[in-house]
Amino acid sequence: MAWVFGLMLVVGLLWITVTQGGDAATASMMAGAGEAVTLCLELAGAYLLFMGVLGVARRAGLMETLSRALTGAIGWLFPRAGKASGAIALCFSANMLGMGNAATPFGLEAMRLLDEQNPHRGVATDEMCILIAVNGSALQLLPTGLIALRQAAGSAAPASVVLPSLVASAVSTLVAVLLCRLLTRRREAPVRSVGRRSAGCAGGER
């Protein structure tokens, strides 16, 4: 991604320099930097509010309650997660509550624990791939970041995206789960078939 953004920056600067001159390029960069600072300041209040509310919810045990409710689904999605199950549950719970910053450490811890059980270090296991896919689809009950951005942009109804965001993230999560399960079963099918043939050969030899 660093190469992609770097290329976009260079191409944009070259284009505006060639078409409008160096002064326009400098003015554009300064204006963009100023707008970025302004946006950060406008977002600060909304983020502080939402993070404060979600912090109270976390202290009240809402995240732990969600984690316990997700235990069955996590056991089905990650049958070989082992001791990483707790970190996975907390990661998903934080994302569902819109606390992406809190979800990141849990996700990293889950990956670390999954890698400890990995017989082939450096090669992603099924559980790792499923965690990335489901975490990327990010089912959100409360999209606090999006609401804050719409509020900073002057939206008349910044919270109107809650239902569409919930539906869209639910559909994307469902698709991610189904695809992961399908691909995992297709990959494991030849292994099971070989195992049955081996057992049959051994029985014949006896």
Side-chain angles (χ1 to χ4, degrees):
M1 291 304 297
W3 283 99
V4 172
F5 284 118
L7 181 62
M8 291 171 60
L9 176 62
V10 171
V11 171
L13 285 175
L14 289 176
W15 177 259
I16 194 172
T17 301
V18 171
T19 57
Q20 301 183 33
D23 291 339
T26 302
S28 177
M29 288 190 294
M30 297 300 294
E35 290 173 1
V37 173
T38 302
L39 178 61
C40 289
L41 292 175
E42 290 177 348
L43 288 175
Y47 272 116
L48 288 172
L49 171 63
F50 284 123
M51 294 304 293
V53 171
L54 293 174
V56 172
R58 182 171 57 179
R59 287 176 176 271
L62 180 58
M63 188 183 296
E64 287 73 14
T65 301
L66 261 177
S67 298
R68 288 193 295 269
L70 292 172
T71 301
I74 290 173
W76 177 70
L77 274 175
F78 304 91
R80 294 179 293 274
K83 57 184 179 181
S85 299
I88 293 172
L90 288 172
C91 177
F92 287 173
S93 300
N95 270 328
M96 291 174 70
L97 294 175
M99 293 187 291
N101 292 334
T104 300
F106 294 132
L108 293 174
E109 178 66 11
M111 280 294 185
R112 186 186 67 80
L113 293 173
L114 288 172
D115 195 48
E116 287 183 357
Q117 306 170 142
N118 187 2
H120 306 289
R121 295 293 180 89
V123 179
T125 62
D126 290 339
E127 280 71 22
M128 289 179 175
C129 294
I130 294 172
L131 176 59
I132 292 173
V134 177
N135 204 34
S137 64
L139 173 64
Q140 287 195 344
L141 301 178
L142 185 62
T144 53
L146 184 56
I147 293 173
L149 283 171
R150 287 171 57 84
Q151 177 68 40
S155 172
S160 63
V161 295
V162 172
L163 182 58
S165 177
L166 175 60
V167 173
S169 61
V171 171
S172 64
T173 300
L174 178 61
V175 171
V177 168
L178 292 177
L179 285 176
C180 286
R181 295 296 294 178
L182 175 62
L183 293 174
T184 300
R185 289 184 178 181
R186 288 186 61 182
R187 192 183 64 81
E188 291 178 348
V191 177
R192 289 195 295 266
S193 178
V194 170
R196 285 194 294 269
R197 287 199 296 268
S198 299
C201 291
E205 289 175 359
R206 289 195 296 273

